Amino acid sequence: MTILRMTLLFVLAAGAEIGGAWLIWQAVREGRPWWWAGLGITALGAYGFVATLQPDPNFGRILAAYGGVFVAGSLAWGVLVDGFRPDRWDLLGSAVCLVGVALIMFMPRSSP
């Protein structure tokens, strides 16, 4: 259950951070109303809180692993929301990042 919980929290965090950044991008670069940027800032703040819900107590480990989730999630967001079509190198790089996430978060560790 812990792996499922951690995975869901990473997905939720990715949605908040990527969605927040996208909303700000839309306001600044695409001429959307400025309140979109306000929603983006709120979503980015929510991301910070979601990250604290991870059961691992190590900030550095959580943020390092989240970096890999962010890479894959950003490409997925681009496909689903912006019509982006990743090439094979985007997909390979994303897969490498997700393998890194699995190594960082789910490999057994010895007690200190």
Side-chain angles (χ1 to χ4, degrees):
M1 190 59 161
T2 301
I3 291 176
L4 178 60
R5 178 176 179 235
M6 292 169 75
T7 301
L8 290 174
L9 286 170
F10 276 130
V11 170
L12 183 59
E17 187 177 13
I18 297 163
W22 182 82
L23 286 165
I24 293 169
W25 178 284
Q26 291 299 305
V28 174
R29 303 267 311 249
E30 303 297 330
R32 302 281 187 178
W34 280 100
W35 59 265
W36 281 47
L39 291 175
I41 291 166
T42 301
L44 289 168
Y47 153 74
F49 285 98
V50 171
T52 68
L53 301 175
Q54 286 287 358
D56 191 294
N58 299 292
F59 174 82
R61 181 176 294 142
I62 296 299
L63 269 286
Y66 177 71
V69 174
F70 182 81
V71 170
S74 295
L75 292 174
W77 184 281
V79 168
L80 296 172
V81 177
D82 283 332
F84 173 69
R85 295 292 170 239
D87 64 20
R88 66 181 176 201
W89 302 113
D90 295 323
L91 297 174
L92 180 60
S94 178
V96 168
C97 289
L98 291 175
V99 168
V101 170
L103 291 172
I104 290 169
M105 294 306 301
F106 305 129
M107 292 299 105
R109 290 189 161 68
S110 59
S111 298

